[in-house]
Each structure stands twice: as structure tokens, then as C-alpha cells.
Amino acid sequence: MNLSELTLDRKGLTAALACEDAAFEEALCQEAYRVKVATVGPEVYLRGLIEISNICVKDCLYCGIRRDIRCQRYELSEEEVLATARIAARRRYGSVVIQGGERADAAFIGKVTRLLKAIKSIDTGEDPPLGITLSLGEQPREVYEEWFDAGAHRYLLRIESSNPDLYYKIHPQDHSYDRRLKALCDLKEIGYQAGTGAMIGLPFQTAEDLADDLLFYKEFDAPMVGMGPYNPHPETPLTLSGAPYPSARRRFSLGLKMIALLRLLMPDINIAAATALEILDPRGREEGILSGANVIMPNITPREQMVKYNLYDRKTLNASDVQDLASRDIPIGYGRWGDSKH
Ligand code: 5AD
């Protein structure tokens, strides 16, 4: 396939994703990088990722911290979260992402509210207060409102797959695609910058499904998207079922192409180079940036707990180095929120 033949409709996106020609992939990623620089600028924005707890009430069939898996659970104390957020402020990351397993208990909800207020009052010197993104799953609208009022202004909730049939193949039956969609709409209505995304290279997933994921982001008019390759965790039902999925190389290549195609489809949004890319290639996130992404989430969770936040097999996890970017002359938006221009 030739880049000049690419169209950004379902048929064209599907063909681009199905095409395994390396020269096409390189041309596509280069073009997306060019569009990124021309539209949102060359800067990469940072969000310090704080994984506050791996306790989860959901039982997603692909996830290594699902409710029914046996693993060591942890929850950071308020002081630990604050100390970690202060590291982000000191390093001038500009904003943080508070991510964790989904919880519905009042104690947790109240704790997050207190944390939001406390993080907002961290002294950042000359910079604005830290921006805060939450990634804590589906919550009642009132909880989203409480957290918004306490200072969160962005929320990440992946749709995981925009195809309801595939969604139900990778989630237990008590999950609801419609409820998830409703949660995304609630977030948007409340005033959050609502980010979404999906996994790439799942069992049962077709090139059409991936094209539909891209069209879903466009239709939802998402100001930010974080998507990344599926990485099998050895003890999840999805892995143990033996259902085939694309090779690591193919999932990596699909991950980059999804970023590049999304940049062409939605030139002015924020696109994160997901951590899951780094699992497949030590330079994965840098490659993501060079394919059109403009956000990186360096993981600043205290090491001892980080290793327990095992969504997938993270044995190759390396300390999210921002240095690689500097050595490539990619400017970093230090001390800024880096909100979506969309
Ligand atoms: N591979 C890749 N991504 C995963 N996630 C959960 N499990 C996996 C996996 N095995 C992603 C989900 C979730 C995010 C926090 O992590 O998309 O939204």
C-alpha cells in the first residue's frame, strides 16, 4: 500500500491496519509526526503516573489485577500519594495521573477527594498547580462530580473495545458496554476532558474492529486518547483460554499505526504513548512519539508497589526515561498542564 492511497474512512483505515508493509508503516508514522508538529507543536507533555492501589472490584478477563486473581494487594497511604505527587512537582512534570483499580467504597472515594484537594495545594514554585487526571474506572455521576469539584479536570476511561461483541468476549457478563458509554458521557457533560482508548491486538480483534475504535474516538470527539497494545498476563482467563492473538512484533506495529492514523484523523488532540508499548520494545514510547503521540506518563509510583501493579507481565519494566527524548531533540513541556488543544 502507498501513503497517497490512504483514505481516512473505515475501508481505508482497515486497509492501512491490515497492510504489513514496513515501508508503508514508516511513511505513515513519519507523516503523522509531521502533522503532530504542525498542529500541536513539537513538545511532549508529561503526566507523572501514580498507581494508588491494585485493589479492584472488576474482573476483566485480560487484566492482571482483576478481582479473582491471587496477587499481593496494596494501597498507597495519603501521605505516600502526596509525597509522590511532590516528586512530580519537583521534577516539573506539570501534571499527574492518579490511576488505580476500580473501587466503590465510600472510604476510597473520600480519600481520593481529600487527595485531590491536597495535591492542588502542593507548592510548584513558579508553575501553575499540578494538573490532575483521574483513571479510577466507572463511578456514579455524583462521584465524578465530587472529584471534579475537588480539582480533577481530566479523566481517562478506556472503552477497551468499541465493538460490543468483542467487549463482552473480554469482560464478564456483569459488565455493561452501555454503562461504560454512559460513564464517558457523564464525564464529558460534567466538564472533564474525557479521554478514552482501547487495547490493540486482542484475541478475536479484527482490523475492522481497530478501524472502528478510531472512528469511535472521532465520533465521541475525544480530546485525549490513550491506547496501547494488549500484553497477555500469564494467569488471566483470556490467556489461559488459549485464544490466539497477534505476535509481539505485530502488536507493536499495530500500536504505532493506530497512533499515526489517529493523529491524521484527529490532528489536534492529545495522544499518549502508552506504557504498554514499552513492554514490547525498550524504545517503545519514543517510537510512539515519533509516530504522532504527544504525551508520556512516566511512572513515579514507589518501586515497591509499582511491581505489584501488574496489569500484564511487566518484568521488562524500565524506569520511564525522559532522557531519550532530550537526546533526540524532542522538546518537553516542563511545568505545563499540556491540555488538549481540541
Ligand atoms: N494488556 C494491555 N493493557 C491492559 N490493561 C489491562 N490489562 C491489560 C493487558 N493485559 C489496560 C486496560 C485498562 C488500563 C488501565 O490497562 O486497557 O484500561
Side-chain angles (χ1 to χ4, degrees):
M1 188 169 168
N2 211 303
L3 194 57
S4 59
E5 295 158 17
L6 175 67
T7 54
L8 299 177
D9 52 6
R10 185 171 197 255
K11 201 159 159 250
L13 295 170
T14 304
L17 290 161
C19 170
E20 298 198 28
D21 176 7
F24 169 73
E25 178 180 322
E26 201 181 316
L28 171 65
C29 293
Q30 271 176 18
E31 173 61 8
Y33 184 72
R34 190 193 65 75
V35 167
K36 175 190 86 160
V37 172
T39 315
V40 294
E43 289 88 8
V44 169
Y45 294 100
L46 305 176
R47 286 89 175 80
L49 176 62
I50 311 177
E51 295 159 336
I52 58 168
S53 157
N54 68 352
I55 301 169
C56 192
V57 298
K58 289 285 181 74
D59 214 17
C60 306
L61 304 180
Y62 47 82
C63 185
I65 63 165
R66 64 196 299 266
R67 186 188 62 215
D68 286 356
I69 218 164
R70 284 246 299 273
C71 66
Q72 213 188 339
R73 304 287 171 172
Y74 75 88
E75 179 177 349
L76 297 185
S77 69
E78 287 181 42
E79 194 33 60
E80 283 172 318
V81 177
L82 281 177
T84 312
R86 277 187 221 108
I87 294 176
R90 205 176 323 123
R91 295 188 190 164
R92 304 196 57 230
Y93 281 175
S95 67
V96 290
V97 178
I98 308 278
Q99 184 174 94
E102 191 171 305
R103 299 267 296 269
D105 52 297
F108 182 73
I109 287 159
K111 173 176 168 178
V112 172
T113 303
R114 283 192 302 279
L115 276 171
L116 288 167
K117 293 178 182 158
I119 292 172
K120 277 288 159 194
S121 59
I122 290 176
D123 181 10
T124 55
E126 308 272 288
D127 296 335
L130 285 171
I132 310 177
T133 308
L134 293 179
S135 178
L136 300 169
E138 287 167 28
Q139 299 290 345
R141 192 184 168 110
E142 305 74 62
V143 173
Y144 286 154
E145 279 166 352
E146 176 177 322
W147 288 344
F148 187 76
D149 293 340
H153 66 124
R154 298 189 281 233
Y155 202 105
L156 285 171
L157 184 69
R158 287 184 172 181
I159 191 74
E160 311 298 359
S161 168
S162 66
N163 172 349
D165 289 337
L166 178 53
Y167 182 89
Y168 286 111
K169 283 192 180 126
I170 61 171
H171 293 106
Q173 289 312 307
D174 62 335
H175 282 224
S176 158
Y177 181 85
D178 290 337
R179 196 168 59 219
R180 199 148 185 100
L181 208 52
K182 159 93 172 36
L184 271 171
C185 294
D186 283 347
L187 288 165
K188 202 193 237 179
E189 276 171 28
I190 292 166
Y192 283 96
Q193 292 173 47
T196 189
M199 285 173 287
I200 301 165
L202 285 161
F204 320 113
Q205 193 178 43
T206 64
E208 281 83 3
D209 289 331
L210 289 170
D212 287 339
D213 287 342
L214 294 170
L215 296 170
F216 172 86
Y217 308 144
K218 176 97 178 163
E219 170 74 25
F220 181 70
D221 201 24
M224 52 191 210
V225 171
M227 52 186 174
Y230 163 66
N231 289 316
H233 179 289
E235 288 158 50
T236 59
L238 195 60
T239 305
L240 295 171
S241 76
Y245 50 84
S247 70
R249 237 183 102 186
R250 181 88 184 117
R251 279 179 283 128
F252 186 70
S253 150
L254 282 172
L256 296 183
K257 282 202 285 191
M258 285 291 282
I259 291 175
L261 291 167
L262 183 60
R263 178 58 70 193
L264 300 183
L265 200 59
M266 303 183 78
D268 63 355
I269 65 168
N270 275 352
I271 305 178
T275 324
L277 278 173
E278 203 179 75
I279 304 303
L280 296 171
D281 184 318
R283 289 182 51 253
R285 292 202 289 189
E286 203 182 321
E287 291 289 328
I289 295 298
L290 296 173
S291 304
N294 67 327
V295 168
I296 281 189
M297 311 193 323
N299 196 332
I300 51 174
T301 309
R303 191 91 208 164
E304 188 194 333
Q305 280 91 3
M306 191 194 290
V307 294
K308 295 182 199 152
Y309 197 80
N310 226 350
L311 300 176
Y312 33 77
D313 214 356
R314 281 217 292 205
K315 56 179 178 287
T316 57
L317 187 83
N318 60 4
S320 40
D321 242 341
V322 184
Q323 256 69 40
D324 300 353
L325 298 176
S327 69
R328 278 193 168 257
D329 284 335
I330 296 174
I332 294 172
Y334 279 112
R336 315 227 307 269
W337 284 12
D339 276 336
S340 168
K341 294 208 187 340
H342 188 69

